[in-house]
Amino acid sequence: MWVCGALFRARALAGPRQGQGLYPASGCRGPATSSYSASAEPSWVRALVYGHHGDPAKVVELKNLELPAVGGSDVRVKMLAAPINPSDINMIQGNYGLLPKLPAVGGNEGVGQVVAVGSNVTRVKPGDWVIPANPGLGTWRTEAVFSEEELIGVPSDIPLQCAATLGVNPCTAYRMLMDFEQLQPGDCVIQNASNSGVGQAVIQIATALGLRTINVVRDRPDIQKLTDRLKNLGAEHVITEEGLRKPEMKNIFKAIPQPRLALNCVGGKSSTELLRQLAPGGTMVTYGGMAKQPVIAPVSLLIFKDLKLRGFWLSQWKKDHSPDQFRELILILCNFIRQGQLTAPACSEVPLQDYQRVLEASMKPFVSSKQILTL
């Protein structure tokens, strides 16, 4: 039986392959294929779908979609939880570096449990937990059928929220800490957007590696509460954007070395101030642009301090490395989690049907917790 299931396969639904997209679950027929069981009856799932780019709270809809039977290399997955990340929002808005063909299911990250596998599947089995190997699969849905190569198994003995938020922010944090400067225990790292998912992961992983951190955040009414929370994660210093510009910053470096690595997720004036704090020869890595302003590097800092400006995008890192290297990275992070050195960011769990409210909340300033859809 070749109904729309063959077109609706999860990897075609919102997968990163060019030229593929999501189609209605009824009204299409085609040639026979050996990918699916001829006797299997179609089943239905609920998914958050967007047909065009725009305001996520307006263009995303909760729909019923047909789920295909499982072919030889396929894995049927019941999604358990999926976060809403800034990259998810940007993708729906149409201003991200990777855009699936529309219509598509939202969500690039999450964790699910294997329900069934095809006869050719060897790496996972029913009951296993899995996360997406790459962005664009569409995780905001109750169930999906993915190909085995699109999934990575993760241990089910880690907290659910950790597993759901494992594949993007902690990976970005670890790679930035490891790949740009040869840091040693006692060395210092400075970052902005320190309360973000990546920022919280940087604090914890840096602490586990024996690195010291200076963490910059925007001033807000509950700044002391935020400061306490970040220090509980291991942050040595938490300062506001305004405090970063004050002469008193020099006092910090009487006790700790100047940072050799700066991590920038904001841009604009904030990134310029990070550059000013770097030690000669240091590196600033930009992985986001929350201020939607360019990075401005004073000529004097480039000439007299020989600073380096780099960029990082996890999707590009995956393209440049093998799937086994990404699996190794995931296992490293799982070990941090098991040892109590890495926890999930502050999260708020929300049922799938309340998606409009959480999409709106995810775009508000001073968000204190990551929104996670429970599926």
Side-chain angles (χ1 to χ4, degrees):
M1 180 178 68
W2 191 96
V3 294
C4 285
L7 286 173
F8 167 72
R9 301 182 70 168
R11 57 177 174 271
L13 199 67
R17 295 175 176 83
Q18 293 295 322
Q20 295 185 342
L22 177 150
Y23 294 82
S26 60
C28 62
R29 300 284 175 184
T33 175
S34 59
S35 297
Y36 298 102
S37 168
S39 61
E41 290 296 325
S43 56
W44 299 85
V45 301
R46 302 169 75 198
L48 295 180
V49 181
Y50 59 103
H52 56 276
H53 296 127
D55 180 350
K58 296 179 180 179
V59 302
V60 173
E61 299 178 273
L62 181 59
K63 292 188 175 183
N64 292 324
L65 299 174
E66 186 180 340
L67 188 71
V70 177
S73 298
D74 291 332
V75 179
R76 181 169 175 171
V77 178
K78 178 183 178 181
M79 295 303 301
L80 301 175
I84 299 176
N85 291 321
S87 58
D88 302 324
I89 299 297
N90 292 339
M91 189 175 283
I92 297 169
Q93 293 170 331
N95 54 17
Y96 193 64
L98 184 155
L99 297 176
K101 187 173 181 179
L102 301 180
V105 173
N108 292 294
E109 188 181 23
V111 62
Q113 187 171 41
V114 175
V115 175
V117 301
S119 58
N120 298 330
V121 173
T122 59
R123 286 182 173 167
V124 296
K125 63 185 184 301
D128 286 353
W129 282 11
V130 291
I131 64 173
N134 291 297
L137 291 187
T139 55
W140 297 349
R141 48 176 143 192
T142 54
E143 285 193 57
V145 173
F146 300 114
S147 70
E148 181 183 19
E149 66 183 13
E150 293 169 332
L151 300 170
I152 291 180
V154 297
S156 58
D157 63 349
I158 62 175
L160 181 67
Q161 290 184 348
C162 289
T165 57
L166 178 62
V168 177
N169 292 338
C171 293
T172 296
Y174 184 85
R175 291 269 53 104
M176 291 194 301
L177 288 170
M178 299 298 292
D179 294 351
F180 294 93
E181 288 284 340
Q182 299 299 312
L183 300 175
Q184 302 297 325
D187 285 344
C188 183
V189 176
I190 188 170
Q191 64 167 341
N192 55 23
S194 302
N195 60 311
S196 67
V198 172
Q200 293 178 59
V202 164
I203 292 170
Q204 296 176 82
I205 296 171
T207 300
L209 297 174
L211 304 174
R212 310 171 79 169
T213 58
I214 300 172
N215 303 279
V216 184
V217 297
R218 289 183 294 175
D219 198 4
R220 62 196 68 207
D222 61 345
I223 186 63
Q224 189 57 52
K225 181 179 177 181
L226 175 59
T227 297
D228 293 341
R229 179 156 61 87
L230 296 183
K231 287 192 172 183
N232 286 336
L233 295 177
E236 185 163 351
H237 296 280
V238 179
I239 59 176
T240 64
E241 296 277 4
E242 292 74 16
L244 187 62
R245 303 184 182 100
K246 293 181 178 179
E248 289 78 10
M249 268 299 297
K250 294 180 180 179
N251 295 331
I252 291 180
F253 300 119
K254 293 178 180 179
I256 63 174
Q258 277 191 287
R260 293 170 49 198
L261 179 66
L263 306 177
N264 167 48
C265 185
V266 179
K269 293 180 179 179
S270 178
S271 58
T272 303
E273 292 302 322
L274 290 189
L275 281 172
R276 295 188 194 280
Q277 309 304 326
L278 274 177
T283 301
M284 183 173 78
V285 181
T286 293
Y287 67 98
M290 293 169 55
K292 298 182 180 180
Q293 296 174 356
V295 172
I296 300 176
V299 172
S300 60
L301 296 181
L302 298 179
I303 294 176
F304 302 122
K305 294 182 71 173
D306 190 25
L307 301 182
K308 298 179 287 290
L309 303 181
R310 300 289 302 276
F312 182 82
W313 185 31
L314 183 62
S315 295
Q316 186 61 50
W317 185 91
K318 290 181 181 179
K319 291 178 183 178
D320 296 338
H321 295 78
S322 69
D324 285 341
Q325 287 174 301
F326 183 54
R327 290 188 184 92
E328 180 182 357
L329 171 58
I330 292 297
L331 291 178
I332 290 172
L333 295 169
C334 287
N335 285 334
F336 282 130
I337 293 170
R338 287 197 187 99
Q339 295 168 16
Q341 297 172 314
L342 178 63
T343 61
C347 297
S348 298
E349 294 187 356
V350 183
L352 182 65
Q353 59 266 26
D354 292 340
Y355 71 96
Q356 284 188 316
R357 175 169 61 85
V358 297
L359 286 174
E360 291 173 353
S362 297
M363 293 182 287
K364 292 180 179 178
F366 307 120
V367 176
S368 59
S369 64
K370 183 177 292 293
Q371 307 296 312
I372 292 187
L373 297 167
T374 54
L375 307 167

